Amino acid sequence: MSALPQHDPASAIAPPAGSAMWRRDFLFGTATAAFQIEGATEAAGRLPSIWDTFCATPGKVDNGDTGEVACDHYHRWQEDIDHMAGLGLGAYRFSIAWPRVMAADGSPNHKGLDFYKRLLDRLADKHLQAFVTLYHWDLPQHLQDKGGWLARDTAYRFADYADLMGRELKGRVNAWTTLNEPWCSAYHGHVSGAHAPGLRDERHAMDTMHHLLLAHGLGMKALRSRDAAPVGLVHNVNAVLPASDSPADRRAAELAHACANLWVLDPLLLGHHNTDLEELWPTSRPPLRDGDMALISAPMDYLGINYYFRSCIRSDGAHGYVEAPQPGVERTQMGWEVYPEGLRDLLTGFQSRYANLPPIYITENGMASDDRVVDGRVNDEHRIRYFARHFAAIDQAMRAGVRVKGYFAWSLLDNFEWAYGYAKRFGLLHVDYATQRRTLKDSALALRAFLARRNAHS
Ligand code: FCB
């Protein structure tokens, strides 16, 4: 591994020369999610969410970690915004905690709403565009008690919530996101059980996904009736590689691609569910009703893409597939393979599959590592290299004609990484959880140097 030119951190992270990412209209930001950073889970009338319940269930989250304090962003939000402004970023993607802003009877919780209004006003003061996600997995527990995403009614409750947010926050938001990663909510929440509410049953897959996508369609309509800001959805995509050239493994990889990527995108962009999934889950069909698909496939203003890794897939000998981890590939602290070309290939693949592909924001991308503060400094060269390689892959996709308008690094801060708790560090800023001290990692300094150079040139 060769040393990076420490004297020129901007060059170490920068996109290739001549890239449209050097233009100021290409947005750079960071992303977070409410439950992962806010803490203050009982402040100002916030109701319990499914993640509070999940964390309180022994054995669900590593080390028994919870969201009770997290990064204490609920109290340190001004400092956190100042850090983003200091880095020279142009946007911030964050989520609203549904249980903070809406009472169980559907009425607004104004104290909770005020937190987000103050946050949005300060972002505007600092010239940071606000990309606001309504649902990043923290369903109010009282809705889970009535069936959660297995119940069609939850989609209508989400539309009520979206309507309230559109009404209360109109004019303050630059872009709305209905859902973050419905794939994870459906699959990890209800099939693998790795995420809240921790259910495990293959038969839940189609019901929960359909209700989530319906929530998106209804929520988008509600937001548009209240506010003019663009609306989209954020989907996590994975690159897939067949373990061998055998027809069985190639077919297995096609099914894995259908499950990981097309299960969400086909209904949104083609207006029908992907039929390969019937091979995977033969007994399960989406609970479609008249009019659902028109709502789900209503054109979005943009599509958010989260990309982290590639999986190697082989046939399980029946109608399914299993992962066949490749030896000798570079992996992050999560065990995820580093494979930037996968992002390029997925983007160009979507461009050919979907004639109506909307403009894209990369709404998450980043890596976890066991970062430590040594003499006031966090050396995370690996993250600098990770970002630079992904910028190059995005640039290649753009040169091939994909419209990418911005990039959000995951994440601003080290934070609560769901079932893994606080051990996995994704931040540009290191968080010392004992003191809540934030330290800019070298990757943050490199990004700051690049953005300063970009601003000087354009
Ligand atoms: C994504 C989630 C985000 C974060 C990253 C690492 O799936 O949207 O909250 O945990 O993974």
Side-chain angles (χ1 to χ4, degrees):
M1 214 181 279
S2 65
L4 288 167
Q6 285 305 325
H7 58 279
D8 187 11
S11 305
I13 204 168
S19 167
M21 298 173 84
W22 275 92
R23 294 211 324 245
R24 282 186 85 156
D25 61 356
F26 186 94
L27 214 51
F28 275 96
T30 57
T32 64
F35 193 79
Q36 295 180 274
I37 63 164
E38 285 180 358
T41 47
E42 293 184 0
R46 179 188 177 278
L47 301 175
S49 79
I50 55 174
W51 270 94
D52 298 292
T53 310
F54 196 68
C55 291
T57 312
K60 296 296 185 193
V61 176
D62 287 357
N63 194 39
D65 287 346
T66 75
E68 282 163 32
V69 179
C71 308
D72 197 29
H73 172 77
Y74 188 78
H75 298 111
R76 295 169 192 268
W77 56 278
Q78 290 171 300
E79 175 191 347
D80 292 337
I81 293 177
D82 289 349
H83 278 304
M84 289 186 263
L87 292 179
L89 297 165
Y92 177 42
R93 172 176 180 250
F94 66 98
S95 78
I96 291 176
W98 186 350
R100 224 184 255 297
V101 294
M102 203 172 185
D105 65 2
S107 61
N109 174 3
H110 285 292
K111 286 189 179 157
L113 272 162
D114 284 348
F115 170 71
Y116 296 108
K117 287 179 180 170
R118 286 193 295 266
L119 185 84
L120 286 164
D121 290 348
R122 183 149 180 124
L123 289 171
D125 287 349
K126 299 278 178 179
H127 308 292
L128 286 151
Q129 292 193 33
F131 277 57
V132 175
T133 301
L134 292 185
Y135 186 68
H136 201 126
W137 306 354
D138 44 1
L139 187 72
Q141 180 63 41
H142 64 87
L143 291 178
Q144 185 61 39
D145 297 341
K146 297 199 187 103
W149 293 111
L150 284 165
R152 185 176 168 95
D153 190 56
T154 301
Y156 294 91
R157 300 290 72 77
F158 178 81
D160 294 343
Y161 162 51
D163 187 69
L164 178 66
M165 292 306 101
R167 231 183 315 143
E168 288 286 339
L169 304 180
K170 66 167 175 279
R172 289 173 146 116
V173 170
N174 297 89
W176 296 99
T177 298
T178 52
L179 308 179
N180 175 71
E181 301 190 354
W183 192 95
C184 287
S185 299
Y187 191 84
H188 286 316
H190 302 84
V191 180
S192 81
H195 286 179
L199 303 178
R200 272 171 218 240
D201 192 331
E202 264 188 23
R203 288 169 305 177
H204 293 156
M206 291 297 185
D207 286 4
T208 50
M209 179 62 84
H210 186 70
H211 295 149
L212 282 153
L213 293 175
L214 181 62
H216 157 76
L218 292 165
M220 185 159 73
K221 194 170 167 197
L223 286 167
R224 283 181 172 154
S225 75
R226 300 289 184 185
D227 188 35
V231 189
L233 172 145
V234 165
H235 176 42
N236 52 307
V237 300
N238 297 336
V240 177
L241 167 82
S244 79
D245 257 354
S246 77
D249 285 351
R250 289 219 310 267
R251 180 64 188 149
E254 276 169 20
L255 291 179
H257 173 61
C259 177
N261 303 314
L262 312 181
W263 188 18
V264 171
L265 293 181
D266 279 6
L268 293 170
L269 299 173
L270 298 180
H272 56 75
H273 285 283
N274 183 281
T275 47
D276 276 348
L277 298 168
E278 295 170 16
E279 195 172 320
L280 213 52
W281 297 309
T283 57
S284 177
R285 291 286 178 281
L288 252 182
R289 296 200 192 160
D290 278 355
D292 287 1
M293 273 307 171
L295 281 163
I296 291 172
S297 62
M300 294 181 284
D301 298 307
Y302 72 93
L303 174 66
I305 291 288
N306 295 351
Y307 176 76
Y308 289 97
F309 58 83
R310 173 171 79 163
S311 307
C312 183
I313 295 296
R314 67 174 170 77
S315 163
D316 70 354
H319 58 257
Y321 60 85
V322 286
E323 276 202 38
Q326 279 183 293
V329 297
E330 185 184 348
R331 293 182 188 278
T332 71
Q333 191 192 20
M334 299 291 284
W336 294 347
E337 181 185 349
V338 179
Y339 189 69
E341 299 80 4
L343 177 55
R344 174 199 63 204
D345 297 346
L346 284 163
L347 291 175
T348 52
F350 297 149
Q351 175 88 351
S352 9
R353 182 176 181 87
Y354 304 114
N356 53 347
L357 187 72
I360 286 177
Y361 288 93
I362 305 302
T363 34
E364 286 180 29
N365 174 238
M367 67 172 288
S369 47
D370 184 17
D371 303 315
R372 288 155 201 250
V373 184
V374 179
D375 296 332
R377 173 172 170 216
V378 182
N379 178 340
D380 63 341
E381 276 172 28
H382 41 271
R383 187 171 283 103
I384 295 176
R385 198 164 22 247
Y386 180 98
F387 285 137
R389 290 174 61 194
H390 283 81
F391 293 168
I394 294 165
D395 178 55
Q396 287 167 13
M398 290 169 82
R399 287 177 200 267
V402 184
R403 289 175 296 165
V404 185
K405 297 177 70 172
Y407 175 96
F408 293 80
W410 184 270
S411 180
L412 173 66
L413 303 166
D414 292 339
N415 62 43
F416 176 78
E417 180 45 36
W418 308 111
Y420 296 94
Y422 294 98
K424 310 290 185 205
R425 294 182 174 273
F426 275 94
L428 284 167
L429 271 65
H430 178 278
V431 176
D432 176 340
Y433 293 107
T435 61
Q436 292 294 345
R437 181 195 298 270
R438 278 85 162 121
T439 304
L440 269 67
K441 299 181 188 176
D442 283 359
S443 55
L445 301 174
L447 190 60
R448 183 177 73 185
F450 155 61
L451 290 171
R453 185 172 301 173
R454 186 176 82 149
N455 290 347
H457 280 220
S458 49

